[in-house]
Amino acid sequence: MNTQNFVTETCQIDGKEISFEVGKLATLATAAVVARLGDSMVLATVVGGGQRDDIDWFPLQVEFQEKLYAGGKIKGSRWIKREGRPSDESILTGRIIDRSIRPLFSDGFKAEVQVVVTPLSADKENDLDVLSVCAVSAALSISGLPWEGPLAGMRVGLDKDGNYIAFPTFEQRKESKLNIVVSSSKEAIVMVEAGDNEATEDEVVGALDFAKQKSMIIIEAIERLNQKVGKPKMEIVKPEELSKEIIQEIEKQAEPVINDLLSSESAGKINKEPLYELVNVVQELYPETKKAPIKNHLDKMFKQMARDRVVSTKTRLDGRKLDQIRPLTIEIDLIPRTHGSAMFRRGETQALTLTTLAGPSFAHEIELMDQEITKRYFHHYNMPPFSVGEIGRIGAPSRREIGHGALAERALLPMLPDENEFPYTIRTVSECVTSNGSTSMA
């Protein structure tokens, strides 16, 4: 092995060392970093593809690939020993990474980017999710891709004496009423995910401040790593700018259409198809202009005019005043043969939730790399395409569905009766049958 390009950078947070290594593994990737906390290690790789001028969205793919060997385990199934479908927990880790890094890619960057995190070692004390965020941040920082990091991921706990804990172990988390994951850049907090047990507002705000302050130590270590091995930043081809003449034509054509749309809709989702029909109209007048910048300008116009109307009239687009919420309706016992059922409606959003009870032996046994979990309560969430009036593929639950189910599960878990008082396994399923607003809240 050529050790000339092998570089290590470390930092210390409250007695815990985090290290970043470059140059030993995955040398053909655009960037690869091995991060370590205790004896937990992950390999984060980033590969950037070519610019996609045929799309108006950013094709970022983030995968956390669970490996049982990291925890010294062989799959418990008698017939299947290879890792199969990812666990919900690994999908949620991928979502945390995605939500942390996606906002920091430069506007106008449309190249394909694939981020893959491979756990190498799980010490059953230090969780891999926040370590993975730090590893991906380091890999993106040295990759040369137009990413406006670095950032750091940190989990914060709260001990019995009211002291905040950076990177609490699994054992420490059992005693903590605060379990909050924070991703911070130098400038701001980018992503927060919390699971708290009646923590006060001051305790949560203090945890955010604590995470932001301690994250600077990791960010500075990544910056030192970038100074040693970072690639030059890729220059972005700026999106085509519309001439003043074309902008004036778009605004002349679009203003009456947008006014009609904002005036005609008193509730529900506004159908923008009449607005998007103007893309072809404008392109016929200016054939050399691409459709994407015209559509982008129409979207910006619509958002600005909608915002101006709300500010000037003090009334939302569906007719509500600024201090009014959508009508809330709750019905129970809708379904005769389930153990429990309820429908919650907020405006047009409807969530039908069904409850099933079973004995303790029906608890969910989850075999992960770094721990084995027994869950007596689990919440599943489904959002079929008909809920938004669309046709779509129906199959395995999406990452969004798994994430929203976990969000509800985390919120309700502290409110469950004690197992000694209520020794049942509980499964709740939310069927979001109509969606126009926050289905996760419903």
Side-chain angles (χ1 to χ4, degrees):
M1 182 186 71
N2 182 4
T3 59
Q4 271 190 324
N5 298 321
F6 179 63
V7 174
T8 303
E9 194 60 60
T10 63
C11 61
Q12 297 271 347
I13 296 179
D14 295 346
K16 299 180 180 180
E17 181 175 280
I18 299 174
S19 67
F20 302 99
E21 297 178 355
V22 177
K24 184 180 290 185
L25 300 177
T27 54
L28 293 184
T30 304
V33 173
V34 174
R36 178 169 179 166
L37 172 61
D39 282 342
S40 288
M41 296 174 64
V42 296
L43 166 66
T45 61
V46 174
V47 176
Q51 183 79 2
R52 293 283 302 274
D53 295 325
D54 57 325
I55 56 177
D56 59 359
W57 48 278
F58 175 37
L60 171 65
Q61 181 183 353
V62 178
E63 299 291 342
F64 179 87
Q65 295 190 315
E66 197 169 36
K67 304 293 183 181
L68 289 178
Y69 60 68
K73 294 183 178 181
I74 296 176
K75 196 173 181 67
S77 167
R78 183 176 177 183
W79 294 276
I80 301 171
K81 296 302 179 183
R82 178 185 287 273
E83 290 85 355
R85 181 187 177 278
S87 67
D88 286 1
E89 284 69 23
S90 65
I91 290 172
L92 294 173
T93 297
R95 275 174 56 87
I96 286 175
I97 299 167
D98 190 312
R99 288 161 48 215
S100 299
I101 66 174
R102 187 179 291 269
L104 297 186
F105 280 93
S106 302
D107 290 339
F109 181 58
K110 298 294 186 293
E112 291 184 331
V113 176
Q114 186 178 54
V115 174
V116 178
V117 177
T118 306
L120 302 176
S121 175
D123 66 6
K124 303 181 182 180
E125 289 187 5
N126 298 292
D127 210 331
L128 297 173
D129 53 1
V130 285
L131 180 63
S132 298
V133 173
C134 296
V136 171
S137 170
L140 285 170
S141 296
I142 67 173
S143 68
L145 296 177
W147 188 68
E148 297 167 9
L151 55 74
M154 180 174 294
R155 173 176 272 102
V156 177
L158 188 67
D159 67 19
K160 293 179 179 179
D161 297 324
N163 300 313
Y164 291 112
I165 310 168
F167 301 109
T169 63
F170 290 120
E171 199 61 36
Q172 288 173 320
R173 282 158 59 180
K174 291 178 183 177
E175 303 296 325
S176 174
K177 67 175 179 178
L178 193 67
N179 179 13
I180 186 166
V181 174
V182 184
S183 294
S184 307
S185 67
K186 265 188 171 181
E187 290 74 26
I189 291 175
V190 179
M191 192 280 305
V192 176
E193 185 164 294
D196 304 331
N197 189 354
E198 299 186 348
T200 67
E201 184 175 342
D202 288 343
E203 287 170 338
V204 173
V205 172
L208 296 176
D209 290 340
F210 177 84
K212 180 77 167 59
Q213 175 189 351
K214 295 293 184 179
S215 291
M216 289 302 300
I217 299 171
I218 301 172
I219 290 171
E220 288 169 359
I222 295 174
E223 287 178 335
R224 293 194 298 271
L225 186 72
N226 187 38
Q227 289 173 359
K228 295 176 181 178
V229 295
K231 298 177 182 177
K233 284 287 183 185
M234 178 190 301
E235 291 187 12
I236 307 175
V237 178
K238 292 186 178 180
E240 178 184 345
E241 292 187 4
L242 299 172
S243 68
K244 188 175 181 180
E245 179 186 355
I246 297 174
I247 290 174
Q248 289 175 342
E249 181 64 34
I250 292 173
E251 293 178 350
K252 183 180 76 173
Q253 300 249 14
E255 190 168 336
V257 176
I258 294 174
N259 279 326
D260 286 343
L261 289 174
L262 296 177
S263 301
S264 62
E265 297 283 345
S266 58
K269 294 184 177 180
I270 294 177
N271 179 12
K272 295 183 184 177
E273 286 307 314
L275 180 64
Y276 293 147
E277 288 173 4
L278 296 179
V279 173
N280 293 327
V281 175
V282 174
Q283 197 178 40
E284 286 180 8
L285 296 173
Y286 303 94
E288 295 183 358
T289 304
K290 295 180 180 178
K291 291 184 178 181
I294 300 173
K295 183 175 180 293
N296 289 340
H297 193 77
L298 289 171
D299 282 330
K300 288 179 183 177
M301 268 193 75
F302 182 88
K303 289 178 183 177
Q304 187 61 48
M305 289 180 67
R307 182 182 182 281
D308 290 345
R309 176 172 292 221
V310 172
V311 170
S312 62
T313 64
K314 308 295 183 188
T315 303
R316 301 172 193 261
L317 298 182
D318 61 3
R320 288 179 293 135
K321 297 295 183 183
L322 298 183
D323 59 353
Q324 288 179 311
I325 62 173
R326 293 182 176 93
L328 304 179
T329 305
I330 298 174
E331 297 180 50
I332 61 171
D333 297 332
L334 282 80
I335 312 300
R337 287 294 180 127
T338 59
H339 293 154
S341 61
M343 190 277 289
F344 178 87
R345 179 169 181 163
R346 171 178 174 262
E348 290 187 335
T349 294
Q350 290 176 297
L352 175 65
T353 298
L354 299 310
T355 300
T356 308
L357 303 177
S361 63
F362 284 83
H364 190 190
E365 304 284 347
I366 304 173
E367 185 180 39
L368 302 175
M369 302 170 291
D370 46 10
Q371 55 181 323
E372 293 181 5
I373 302 172
T374 301
K375 295 171 72 171
R376 59 181 284 257
Y377 168 69
F378 35 95
H379 184 100
H380 296 149
Y381 165 105
N382 299 311
M383 187 175 171
F386 64 73
S387 65
V388 291
E390 296 177 357
I391 296 170
R393 174 185 161 277
I394 295 178
S398 67
R399 295 176 86 166
R400 181 179 183 277
E401 288 173 312
I402 291 170
H404 280 211
L407 183 68
E409 181 179 304
R410 192 182 300 116
L412 295 173
L413 197 58
M415 300 296 105
L416 293 180
D418 187 86
E419 189 172 4
N420 294 325
E421 300 173 9
F422 194 77
Y424 292 93
T425 297
I426 309 164
R427 182 193 184 213
T428 52
V429 180
S430 288
E431 303 286 354
C432 293
V433 292
T434 305
S435 173
N436 182 16
S438 176
T439 55
S440 59
M441 182 274 285

